[in-house]
Amino acid sequence: MRRLLPLLGIAVACALLSLLAEGVLVPGVSLPRSLLYPMRIVTLAGINIILAVSLNLINGFTGQFSIGHAGFMAIGAYGAAWVAMTFGAVVRGAVDFLPAFASDTVLLVVCLAVGALLSALGGLLVGIPSLRLRGDYLAIVTLGFGEIIRVFILNIDTVGGARGYVGIPNLVGFGWVYFTAAATLIVVHNIVHSSFGRTLLAVREDEIAAGAMGVNTTRAKVISFVISSSMAGIAGGLFAFYDGYLHTNEFTFIKSIEIVIMIVIGGLGSSLGSVVGGALYIVLTELLRPVDQYGSGLRMVVFSLALILIMIFRPQGLLGSIDFHALRRRRDDKKTVLAGRP
Amino acid sequence: VNGLSLGSIYGLIALGYTMVYGILRLINFAHGDVYMVGAYAGYYFSAYLRGDEPSFFRAGLVMVASVAVCAVLGLLIERLAYRPVRSASKMTSLITAIGVSLLLENLGQLVFGATPQSVRSPAPSFSFRLGEVTVKSADLTIFVVSLLVAGFLYVLVMKTKTGIAMRAVSYNLDAAKLMGVPTDRVIAFTFALGSGFAAVAGVLVGMAIPQIHPLMGIMYGLKAFVAAVLGGIGDIWGALLGGLLIGLAETFVVAYGSPTYRDAIAFAILILLLLFRPQGILGRPVREKV
């Protein structure tokens, strides 16, 4: 628990910062307009971080290559939005004794929970059959499931179909996103450092040997997949309540690939790497925007070149295997030196 | 008939996937985009060579020129992007492939413009009736050409010295290198060949569905890969068969079901197949080694 205090501190700081920014703590004071665009980028970066950290659990720590993450994000987004649109009034009615801010929170938590549950269910249904496959076959099957999920949502008319889903309440800002991101990090950190986490690492290093040691590899993989999917669902829900508009074109396999790119440029199997990758991806694409004035689309050309170069010269990702614990170890080393112990 | 010609296109692209995957175990995500470049090359060459009368000779010329362009492009991609990461992990080469794919797509939008272009076919077009159905010359050409290409590839791989080298590299790259096979050259040749086939598909699709745009490679590429897996990856006839199956299935779904499900059907077939027969229709099962 002591080890998690810094993360919790970050979470609380995020929450306070956002309350301040949205003028809840100090009424009447809100952000200047010039900061709205950077705020949006930073918030979307937070959603990316949740997606990357959760995908890293299955791709980086369990070693199962999944490229269908956008599908689970879509389930969570549409599920949460649908609950808010259909039962929003009911939920608010049940807690109408609370102030508006608190009832918003209750509604948000309920919707996100339902979205996460639906995504977890989706993850279970997809995971059980497909996790028997490995390597590239698993990749292509998860990709296929991701696309199938998207096409099915596209054909459900109650959530807007091809018109997109409009009128979703805006319940989420900067603070919620980063609070959730910190929570995701804590959960993934705890999983990886638990005995179940050791099981996952064993499956990653050598599935056959792990099986021979008595690990139920399929069960471990499916559980990890389900947890990862539910987190993607939460990220999707946050996105829905942040943007207020959903369209299935947001959740194509290109989005899945973007998330894979984030974790690979950050460094597979490193939560810190996922955070850096998730943030860097969107910041880099936005910073390159001025390049577009020399020719529309030049930005993405530069971006893809950068991606190829990173892969050629730094194939283990920007951070490699450096993770949060590495930072801490350095500090611990200092402490031992100061204490004069060997 | 639409299904057959669409399926042949998928099959032609799938040939390139199956060759590269067979040799390097790499999903060459950029392959669909090479196909796009092929289609554009066909478009520009046929505009450049436009005479008064469309003729088969001129169509052949366009085809050869486009194939040459794409083969060079394939060589460049292999040399500049894939060779440096060949010894790195699988994930790394996959992301590199995605990077190349993004690069070609965006470069395509920059150079060719984002608006779709319509192609005027350089070959004479005609149609005839075969019993109940009308067969257009473009559809027939696509089908016949893809059969010819697959046959050519089969002979190449099975009967020539280069083919033996390719199979050796595919079986075990290091062992082949020790036996004196010039592996780098064989891999480069494979890329050139696969990209050339993509160009053939690109030019042909310009004749049948006369509209091309820089992002057309994404979906075609993905479904062609699915076709390659469906038929059994590494198998030439399997790739063609898988392509035809997916083309037919899609056409039927559009005709008798909902067109919005079109993109899902290929994946649904794939998932069902992989669950019951992971090695593909014509593939051989691979024993797992500890």
Side-chain angles (χ1 to χ4, degrees), chain B residues 53-132:
Chain B
E53 278 287 294
S55 73
F56 279 115
F57 172 70
R58 210 169 290 121
L61 217 57
V62 167
M63 186 74 87
V64 169
S66 312
V67 167
V69 167
C70 280
V72 171
L73 180 68
L75 282 178
L76 282 177
I77 292 174
E78 197 274 330
R79 184 69 195 85
L80 297 178
Y82 293 158
R83 195 173 298 178
V85 296
R86 200 184 295 156
S87 55
S89 78
K90 218 168 184 172
M91 202 71 142
T92 308
S93 34
L94 199 76
I95 298 292
T96 312
I98 292 171
V100 174
S101 161
L102 279 175
L103 181 68
L104 286 180
E105 278 156 24
N106 292 296
L107 218 54
Q109 285 186 327
L110 199 65
V111 176
F112 305 136
T115 43
Q117 305 276 6
S118 52
V119 181
R120 268 185 56 192
S121 166
S125 77
F126 55 91
S127 60
F128 57 88
R129 297 183 61 81
L130 196 80
E132 299 264 302

Side-chain angles (χ1 to χ4, degrees), chain A:
Chain A
M1 196 54 221
R2 183 185 61 85
R3 304 172 139 204
L4 294 177
L5 282 177
L7 286 176
L8 278 174
I10 295 170
V12 173
C14 280
L16 285 179
L17 198 65
S18 88
L19 292 181
L20 192 67
E22 279 159 30
V24 178
L25 282 192
V26 190
V29 181
S30 59
L31 276 180
R33 292 192 78 81
S34 61
L35 272 179
L36 286 181
Y37 168 68
M39 272 301 270
R40 180 174 166 81
I41 301 305
V42 170
T43 311
L44 289 180
I47 294 177
N48 277 352
I49 289 173
I50 302 175
L51 288 169
V53 170
S54 64
L55 185 66
N56 197 21
L57 180 66
I58 184 82
N59 278 22
F61 290 118
T62 320
Q64 304 301 313
F65 194 13
S66 158
I67 36 177
H69 221 45
F72 302 110
M73 184 190 176
I75 297 183
Y78 275 90
W82 179 76
V83 172
M85 301 280 277
T86 321
F87 302 110
V90 181
V91 175
R92 274 183 207 276
V95 291
D96 60 352
F97 51 88
L98 288 172
F101 174 71
S103 79
D104 270 359
T105 307
V106 171
L107 178 65
L108 179 68
V109 170
V110 168
C111 295
L112 288 183
V114 173
L117 219 61
L118 287 176
S119 290
L121 194 68
L124 191 68
L125 290 178
V126 173
I128 287 178
S130 48
L131 284 168
R132 295 188 310 170
L133 304 163
R134 26 189 101 175
D136 295 331
Y137 288 111
L138 177 65
I140 209 80
V141 165
T142 49
L143 195 157
F145 269 118
E147 281 293 291
I148 288 177
I149 290 171
R150 186 179 68 84
V151 171
F152 266 99
I153 292 177
L154 185 64
N155 281 287
I156 301 174
D157 209 47
T158 47
V159 293
R163 296 185 305 276
Y165 202 13
V166 288
I168 304 163
N170 285 89
L171 297 176
V172 165
F174 172 84
W176 269 111
V177 169
Y178 276 87
F179 178 73
T180 319
T184 313
L185 272 172
I186 294 173
V187 171
V188 169
H189 177 275
N190 277 357
I191 290 173
V192 172
H193 291 265
S194 68
S195 80
F196 177 64
R198 297 289 134 187
T199 310
L200 296 184
L201 295 183
V203 171
R204 174 183 75 180
E205 294 304 328
D206 192 331
E207 199 175 327
I208 297 168
M213 290 295 154
V215 172
N216 185 344
T217 54
T218 309
R219 184 166 166 270
K221 287 191 285 184
V222 170
I223 293 177
S224 147
F225 197 72
V226 167
I227 296 171
S228 171
S229 316
S230 67
M231 286 173 177
I234 294 176
L238 288 172
F239 179 72
F241 293 126
Y242 179 66
D243 236 19
Y245 173 73
L246 291 175
H247 194 279
T248 46
N249 285 353
E250 296 270 358
F251 304 107
T252 56
F253 75 96
I254 294 169
K255 178 78 189 175
S256 303
I257 285 176
E258 277 177 11
I259 309 171
V260 175
I261 291 176
M262 290 172 207
I263 59 174
V264 175
I265 55 176
L268 268 182
S270 155
S271 286
L272 182 62
S274 301
V275 173
V276 172
L280 200 65
Y281 185 88
I282 188 160
V283 172
L284 207 62
T285 45
E286 290 303 322
L287 281 183
L288 283 172
R289 229 172 242 292
V291 176
D292 256 358
Q293 69 198 36
Y294 302 108
S296 156
L298 195 59
R299 174 170 74 109
M300 289 311 288
V301 173
V302 175
F303 177 77
S304 43
L305 269 179
L307 184 64
I308 298 173
L309 290 177
I310 291 178
M311 282 302 107
I312 291 178
F313 293 110
R314 188 113 181 121
Q316 70 273 46
L318 290 176
L319 292 185
S321 54
I322 302 169
D323 206 338
F324 284 112
H325 55 77
L327 301 178
R328 190 167 50 240
R329 190 166 306 139
R330 209 163 298 154
R331 205 168 55 203
D332 287 349
D333 286 350
K334 246 183 249 162
K335 265 188 219 152
T336 27
V337 171
L338 286 178
R341 275 175 299 177

Side-chain angles (χ1 to χ4, degrees), chain B residues 25 48 154 204 221:
Chain B
R25 302 272 172 274
Y48 179 67
Y154 184 78
L204 287 176

